[in-house]
Amino acid sequence: MVARFKGQYGTGIREANTYLGQNYMVVDPSIISEVLRILRDREQFDYCVDVTAVHYPEREKQFDVLWILYSFSKNERVRIKIMIADGESVPSAVSIWATANWLEREVYDMFGIRFDGHPDLKRILLPDGWKGHPLRKDYGIIQQDQEWVKANLGIESGQ
Amino acid sequence: MQQAVQPGMQPVATTFFFYLLSGFTLLSGVFVITRKSPVHSALALIFGLLSQAGLYLMLYAPFVAGVQIILYAGGIMVLFLFVIMLVNLERSQREEQFNGQWVVGLLAAIALGGLFMTVYVKGKSLFPYRIAQPVENTNTQQIGLMLYGQYMFAFEIASLLLLVAIIGAVVMAKKRI
Amino acid sequence: MGKGQPGDRERPIIMTDRTMFDLKPADPKRIDEKYLSHLELGEPDKTFLDSNELVINMGPQHPATHGVLRVILKLDGEKVLGTECVIGYLHRGVEKIAENRTYTMFNPYVDRMDYVAAVSNGLGYCEAVEKLLNVEAPPRAKYIRVILTELNRMASHQLWLGTHALDIGAMTPLFYTFRDREEILKIFEKYCGARLTTHAFRIGGCQYETYEGFERDVIKFLDYVPAKIDEYEELLTTNRIWLERTKNVGVISRADAIALGVTGPVLRASGVKWDLRKAQPYAAYSDFDFEIPIGTNGDTYDRYTVRMEEMRQSLRIIRQAVEKIPEGPIMAKVPKVIKPPVGEVYHSIEAPKGELGYFIVSDGSTQPYRIRVRPPSFVNLQALDIMVRGALVADVIAVIGTLDIVLGEVDR
Amino acid sequence: MLDYITSYLSSNTTPGESGNVFWALVYIMVVFGGISVAVMAMNWLERKALAHFQIRLGPMRVGPHGLLQPIADAIKLMTKEDIIPAEADKFVFWIAPLIILCASFAVYIVVPFGPTHAITDLNIGVLFMLGVSSLSVLGVVMAGWASNSHYPLIGALRSSAQMVSYEVAMGMAVVSAILMTSLHGLGPYGVSAASSGTGTLSMIGIVQAQNEQHVWFLFKFFPLGFIAFGIFAIAMVAETNRAPFDLPEAESELTAGFHTEYSGLRWSLFMLGEYAAMIAVSSIAVTLWLGGWYRPFPNSLTGDTWDLVFSLFPGLVFLGLAAIAFLGVRRMPKHPYFRVQTIGLAGFGAVLGLIGLILFVPPVRDRIQDIFWFVAKVAGFMYLYIWYRATFPRYRFDQLMKVGWKVLLPIGIGVLILTAILGVVL
């Protein structure tokens, strides 16, 4: 399957190998939406298990955005990864899998990565007025948005 | 089977009950007009109807009293209350309760008063002399006989009319059923 | 409809127009409208007397939402036009905490997510880390894990049945199911000291050897329960009103189910024959034979029958596991301080609610660099909007019940 | 004055019928007092029976086996603060529970506990009963409206719509029962058949008609009587907002229906009204279909031996209850804490035993027969209510209306027509 993709996109596919028996593919952000669409249609990865992100502050392309896909017919799992810098936006996969709607909203909520084309991109777990994205490495674990807590709950801090 | 009306049946129409019930009816009539909130006047109307049912009982007409309770108090008044509650009546509450034409009101009151006075003064002579003789069998059977006997035709027409009314109501409130 | 103030205040017709606890004098209509603005909801069709379209707030403290879930319903009279779930009231930032705890310290946190099926969470996490360490749990540990996880699935389904029937109005099943669930919790308590958040497994195997009466208790339970399940079925399966309330309510088609990523009994009720225990067997599931029950038209009744059949299948698995449990060590050789090599792994198991996945990225230190938990309830809840469109308010309650969501897992 | 009182004792008609105001008042006191005690007992029975259905014990703490629980509830409700919502309509808020209470108690005027044991024998008995039971809808609507908040209002509108639609179905069933009173299958025109008696609306008349025709209306024209009874049973449950039809109080959607804003004594009036309505409606069912105060098989198992056997029943029932109480005493744990409870239970058992013995005394035994059988049948219905509540889930509102209009009503009309045809043809 990897060979077919390499043939089609050449340099677009950065790296594809398996680690501990789980194959994953690193793709260039520009062609990510077609790759996902092909994966769903031609390769029958019809079930998008998860959309998530990992933050590497020291790298210049800070964020890894991952799609974990699974195909019922081939009983196979694959991970597609792209690397984007802070502030870049990612094409949304909602049109491909409806399940991506809330998953992408959570990634935006936690990392601040914008997904353009998403019908209703706003915070899902944290209250709307909350500032900052907790799962970024620079967001301290005890730091907490004092100002929102003071304004809404009228207390000094959550601790 | 017990007879319809035992001879020993004491007259129910003791004067005390008569004045009590007619007093209630008049009182509730007044309340219906004067109350500010529509629900209160609806309640007064219900109370008035119930006391009227009591009056019917005294005239040996239990069937009419029963029907009065079921139809008027139980059925129609419930619909009144439904309408009053569902339709938002705030604006009407704030309007001036008694509008300008008190002159016409006064004239009507005087005319009605005159009528009452003549009846009161002349007394019996105005009406042909008939006393309410006890009926031979129970009131319900009599009504049943007449309803399905002599007035069969009118009864059918009325039911037809009701049917049309129901269908009209359904069409009016129909969404895309 | 309410009584007008003497002043000229226009009274909006919504449930929470005068919330006493509204800290900010924000206009309640604006908040709810903002949530629903994006949904392209059909305008309520105007009848002769124009119907009043209502926005109801099935608030966080509602008897029928399992935990703190707020559903904003846009109603046309009684029919639901559209819904918007507002979640996050129980968000404790588990993934952020994971980045500041070592692997073994994070283990108890995992039980607190889906507190109803805590044992399965623990199993998923331990197996994911074992995969990272490239370590295999010994066979006896695997068998103990299978027994406890299937018991936990049984308990979770029993709790689901009790509360689901209560929402629809039948009070008696609740007491039957909780009486039987008590037996399972007793076994957990004897084994690992805790009833709900059990923390039964360790990375590399199990902490405790089974107490000497373990097999006897489990077998006594296995003989005792099948008759009880028939009792539940007797009460509900052929109950006219139960059928009326659940037949083709909250229907989700096979294609929608797959597109929405719904998993577990909800997916199987729509006819997809897929169970991780069969598709990608883990922890000794390959040694047992059991069927996967599936439904046909994906309505509440099918989900009910699927889960009831799953309870029976779990009993079959436990019986086989108890008979064939091997002797031997219960803990693999795992270093005191766990420092997995650099790399990332995704491992998922079949939790009672659906596919529960752990994506762990390690940077070689003792603390995980990133742990992402893929919660089945969070994704299943997303399907609520599709299932409830056009239904009535009473059905929203039934559908929330049948999705079997636990808010601890949805909000993490 | 004295002879005015004693004169009634000789005449064998109901006090109301004989115009004897004094005895009518006495009867009213007895019946209403009896009903309130029955409501308290029903409250206890409901909680205990429901609990035992659900394999739990129910109230055990207040008095032996929770026997004093209803009293404790009553005191609690009386002492509770009686809140009236701020913008509620004071007058309507105050009068709503009263209307419901009066409506449900007014039905007892016509309920015949015995040939002469009814407050009065209106010759439009059944009609009066239907009329008064439709009055309680007013109370419900007013309660919902007066508490001036959305959930009670919607609850009130729903429950009144439910009550109105099931009243129609109930009316159909009742009419078919009344038809049976006159149609012996003999006279060509039932109504005017001069032969053995004319159709009657009076409750006592209906029961006597059943006795004369040697058949309970439940079994008359075999399937029809049963179906009519079935429709009435379902409609009566819906009429009192109970069991599968208790949608207005469905906790899962609307908080507690029309009596959400009520509290304290006012709320207990609603409960009293609901239980009284339940007892009233089931006593009507007993009168119309199960042969009022006659003992089972009055005609087939005749002869004095059978009379004797059946007359012993009341005594036996009370002795049985006393035995259960003493069994409870024996099984009470020996711990001193339970001493008071054991003594209480033993006392209660003794009282029951005493009543049982008194009931064996011949003069008392004959007089008590009628009332006992009537009350026993009504108690059977009460148990049915509780059984419904334990097993059935709740209907959704549109299904509820569908059953009311599309199922019960057509069958009701069908039964009515068939009864008429059978009556004339047979």
Side-chain angles (χ1 to χ4, degrees), chain D residues 373-389:
Chain D
W373 283 113
F374 186 85
V375 170
K377 290 174 191 166
V378 171
F381 270 100
M382 290 297 116
Y383 192 75
L384 203 66
Y385 266 104
I386 303 173
W387 197 356
Y388 279 168
R389 184 165 180 204

mmCIF file of all heavy atoms in Angstrom, chain D residues 373-389:
data_model
loop_
_atom_site.group_PDB
_atom_site.id
_atom_site.type_symbol
_atom_site.label_atom_id
_atom_site.label_comp_id
_atom_site.label_asym_id
_atom_site.label_seq_id
_atom_site.Cartn_x
_atom_site.Cartn_y
_atom_site.Cartn_z
ATOM 1 N N TRP D 373 -67.736 -7.599 51.543
ATOM 2 C CA TRP D 373 -67.447 -8.078 50.188
ATOM 3 C C TRP D 373 -67.135 -6.914 49.253
ATOM 4 O O TRP D 373 -66.236 -6.976 48.427
ATOM 5 C CB TRP D 373 -68.648 -8.896 49.659
ATOM 6 C CG TRP D 373 -68.659 -10.237 50.276
ATOM 7 C CD1 TRP D 373 -69.569 -10.728 51.144
ATOM 8 C CD2 TRP D 373 -67.639 -11.240 50.131
ATOM 9 N NE1 TRP D 373 -69.203 -11.969 51.548
ATOM 10 C CE2 TRP D 373 -68.024 -12.315 50.947
ATOM 11 C CE3 TRP D 373 -66.462 -11.318 49.406
ATOM 12 C CZ2 TRP D 373 -67.258 -13.463 51.061
ATOM 13 C CZ3 TRP D 373 -65.710 -12.464 49.510
ATOM 14 C CH2 TRP D 373 -66.104 -13.528 50.334
ATOM 15 N N PHE D 374 -67.844 -5.827 49.455
ATOM 16 C CA PHE D 374 -67.573 -4.675 48.566
ATOM 17 C C PHE D 374 -66.136 -4.199 48.770
ATOM 18 O O PHE D 374 -65.353 -4.067 47.824
ATOM 19 C CB PHE D 374 -68.562 -3.547 48.899
ATOM 20 C CG PHE D 374 -68.466 -2.386 47.951
ATOM 21 C CD1 PHE D 374 -69.167 -2.403 46.745
ATOM 22 C CD2 PHE D 374 -67.666 -1.295 48.239
ATOM 23 C CE1 PHE D 374 -69.058 -1.351 45.866
ATOM 24 C CE2 PHE D 374 -67.559 -0.237 47.355
ATOM 25 C CZ PHE D 374 -68.256 -0.266 46.171
ATOM 26 N N VAL D 375 -65.762 -4.038 50.043
ATOM 27 C CA VAL D 375 -64.414 -3.504 50.341
ATOM 28 C C VAL D 375 -63.347 -4.497 49.867
ATOM 29 O O VAL D 375 -62.303 -4.103 49.319
ATOM 30 C CB VAL D 375 -64.300 -3.222 51.854
ATOM 31 C CG1 VAL D 375 -62.879 -2.910 52.218
ATOM 32 C CG2 VAL D 375 -65.217 -2.081 52.247
ATOM 33 N N ALA D 376 -63.642 -5.792 49.985
ATOM 34 C CA ALA D 376 -62.641 -6.784 49.564
ATOM 35 C C ALA D 376 -62.389 -6.637 48.062
ATOM 36 O O ALA D 376 -61.225 -6.594 47.609
ATOM 37 C CB ALA D 376 -63.151 -8.185 49.877
ATOM 38 N N LYS D 377 -63.446 -6.481 47.311
ATOM 39 C CA LYS D 377 -63.241 -6.362 45.847
ATOM 40 C C LYS D 377 -62.455 -5.094 45.528
ATOM 41 O O LYS D 377 -61.532 -5.103 44.705
ATOM 42 C CB LYS D 377 -64.612 -6.339 45.147
ATOM 43 C CG LYS D 377 -65.334 -7.685 45.211
ATOM 44 C CD LYS D 377 -66.736 -7.568 44.630
ATOM 45 C CE LYS D 377 -67.551 -8.835 44.939
ATOM 46 N NZ LYS D 377 -68.969 -8.633 44.689
ATOM 47 N N VAL D 378 -62.805 -3.982 46.219
ATOM 48 C CA VAL D 378 -62.071 -2.732 45.928
ATOM 49 C C VAL D 378 -60.596 -2.915 46.290
ATOM 50 O O VAL D 378 -59.695 -2.497 45.550
ATOM 51 C CB VAL D 378 -62.702 -1.559 46.728
ATOM 52 C CG1 VAL D 378 -61.838 -0.329 46.613
ATOM 53 C CG2 VAL D 378 -64.103 -1.279 46.226
ATOM 54 N N ALA D 379 -60.349 -3.614 47.400
ATOM 55 C CA ALA D 379 -58.941 -3.836 47.803
ATOM 56 C C ALA D 379 -58.215 -4.612 46.705
ATOM 57 O O ALA D 379 -57.053 -4.317 46.382
ATOM 58 C CB ALA D 379 -58.911 -4.609 49.121
ATOM 59 N N GLY D 380 -58.927 -5.561 46.089
ATOM 60 C CA GLY D 380 -58.289 -6.297 44.986
ATOM 61 C C GLY D 380 -57.816 -5.330 43.913
ATOM 62 O O GLY D 380 -56.682 -5.407 43.418
ATOM 63 N N PHE D 381 -58.666 -4.347 43.626
ATOM 64 C CA PHE D 381 -58.264 -3.372 42.592
ATOM 65 C C PHE D 381 -57.038 -2.584 43.042
ATOM 66 O O PHE D 381 -56.119 -2.322 42.275
ATOM 67 C CB PHE D 381 -59.415 -2.390 42.300
ATOM 68 C CG PHE D 381 -60.310 -2.870 41.211
ATOM 69 C CD1 PHE D 381 -61.515 -3.475 41.498
ATOM 70 C CD2 PHE D 381 -59.926 -2.743 39.883
ATOM 71 C CE1 PHE D 381 -62.331 -3.944 40.483
ATOM 72 C CE2 PHE D 381 -60.740 -3.204 38.863
ATOM 73 C CZ PHE D 381 -61.946 -3.805 39.159
ATOM 74 N N MET D 382 -57.026 -2.232 44.324
ATOM 75 C CA MET D 382 -55.888 -1.433 44.809
ATOM 76 C C MET D 382 -54.594 -2.196 44.564
ATOM 77 O O MET D 382 -53.598 -1.642 44.087
ATOM 78 C CB MET D 382 -56.055 -1.164 46.317
ATOM 79 C CG MET D 382 -57.179 -0.201 46.631
ATOM 80 S SD MET D 382 -56.844 1.407 45.931
ATOM 81 C CE MET D 382 -58.167 1.558 44.773
ATOM 82 N N TYR D 383 -54.651 -3.496 44.870
ATOM 83 C CA TYR D 383 -53.417 -4.291 44.683
ATOM 84 C C TYR D 383 -53.022 -4.275 43.219
ATOM 85 O O TYR D 383 -51.848 -4.150 42.869
ATOM 86 C CB TYR D 383 -53.653 -5.736 45.160
ATOM 87 C CG TYR D 383 -52.355 -6.509 45.252
ATOM 88 C CD1 TYR D 383 -51.471 -6.258 46.305
ATOM 89 C CD2 TYR D 383 -51.982 -7.413 44.275
ATOM 90 C CE1 TYR D 383 -50.261 -6.924 46.380
ATOM 91 C CE2 TYR D 383 -50.778 -8.079 44.342
ATOM 92 C CZ TYR D 383 -49.916 -7.833 45.387
ATOM 93 O OH TYR D 383 -48.717 -8.479 45.451
ATOM 94 N N LEU D 384 -54.066 -4.281 42.332
ATOM 95 C CA LEU D 384 -53.787 -4.253 40.893
ATOM 96 C C LEU D 384 -53.026 -2.972 40.533
ATOM 97 O O LEU D 384 -52.033 -2.982 39.815
ATOM 98 C CB LEU D 384 -55.132 -4.290 40.151
ATOM 99 C CG LEU D 384 -55.102 -4.800 38.720
ATOM 100 C CD1 LEU D 384 -54.720 -6.266 38.713
ATOM 101 C CD2 LEU D 384 -56.448 -4.586 38.066
ATOM 102 N N TYR D 385 -53.472 -1.846 41.135
ATOM 103 C CA TYR D 385 -52.796 -0.559 40.853
ATOM 104 C C TYR D 385 -51.303 -0.684 41.178
ATOM 105 O O TYR D 385 -50.431 -0.312 40.396
ATOM 106 C CB TYR D 385 -53.378 0.544 41.747
ATOM 107 C CG TYR D 385 -54.497 1.336 41.118
ATOM 108 C CD1 TYR D 385 -55.811 1.117 41.473
ATOM 109 C CD2 TYR D 385 -54.240 2.315 40.166
ATOM 110 C CE1 TYR D 385 -56.837 1.845 40.919
ATOM 111 C CE2 TYR D 385 -55.257 3.050 39.596
ATOM 112 C CZ TYR D 385 -56.555 2.808 39.978
ATOM 113 O OH TYR D 385 -57.583 3.530 39.411
ATOM 114 N N ILE D 386 -51.044 -1.220 42.368
ATOM 115 C CA ILE D 386 -49.633 -1.279 42.801
ATOM 116 C C ILE D 386 -48.871 -2.210 41.886
ATOM 117 O O ILE D 386 -47.736 -1.930 41.474
ATOM 118 C CB ILE D 386 -49.560 -1.764 44.268
ATOM 119 C CG1 ILE D 386 -50.391 -0.846 45.162
ATOM 120 C CG2 ILE D 386 -48.129 -1.804 44.752
ATOM 121 C CD1 ILE D 386 -50.509 -1.322 46.572
ATOM 122 N N TRP D 387 -49.496 -3.297 41.492
ATOM 123 C CA TRP D 387 -48.823 -4.264 40.617
ATOM 124 C C TRP D 387 -48.459 -3.593 39.293
ATOM 125 O O TRP D 387 -47.358 -3.713 38.772
ATOM 126 C CB TRP D 387 -49.796 -5.431 40.390
ATOM 127 C CG TRP D 387 -49.145 -6.661 39.876
ATOM 128 C CD1 TRP D 387 -47.840 -6.823 39.525
ATOM 129 C CD2 TRP D 387 -49.797 -7.916 39.663
ATOM 130 N NE1 TRP D 387 -47.635 -8.101 39.120
ATOM 131 C CE2 TRP D 387 -48.804 -8.797 39.174
ATOM 132 C CE3 TRP D 387 -51.096 -8.374 39.851
ATOM 133 C CZ2 TRP D 387 -49.095 -10.122 38.872
ATOM 134 C CZ3 TRP D 387 -51.370 -9.684 39.531
ATOM 135 C CH2 TRP D 387 -50.384 -10.550 39.039
ATOM 136 N N TYR D 388 -49.436 -2.795 38.765
ATOM 137 C CA TYR D 388 -49.135 -2.065 37.516
ATOM 138 C C TYR D 388 -47.881 -1.214 37.712
ATOM 139 O O TYR D 388 -46.950 -1.243 36.916
ATOM 140 C CB TYR D 388 -50.297 -1.118 37.169
ATOM 141 C CG TYR D 388 -51.473 -1.780 36.474
ATOM 142 C CD1 TYR D 388 -52.677 -1.090 36.338
ATOM 143 C CD2 TYR D 388 -51.385 -3.060 35.965
ATOM 144 C CE1 TYR D 388 -53.766 -1.677 35.711
ATOM 145 C CE2 TYR D 388 -52.476 -3.653 35.349
ATOM 146 C CZ TYR D 388 -53.661 -2.956 35.220
ATOM 147 O OH TYR D 388 -54.744 -3.541 34.606
ATOM 148 N N ARG D 389 -47.880 -0.510 38.858
ATOM 149 C CA ARG D 389 -46.809 0.476 39.036
ATOM 150 C C ARG D 389 -45.448 -0.217 39.105
ATOM 151 O O ARG D 389 -44.445 0.311 38.622
ATOM 152 C CB ARG D 389 -47.055 1.273 40.338
ATOM 153 C CG ARG D 389 -46.036 2.361 40.537
ATOM 154 C CD ARG D 389 -46.497 3.328 41.595
ATOM 155 N NE ARG D 389 -45.479 4.362 41.762
ATOM 156 C CZ ARG D 389 -45.342 5.056 42.879
ATOM 157 N NH1 ARG D 389 -46.145 4.799 43.892
ATOM 158 N NH2 ARG D 389 -44.421 5.980 42.979
#
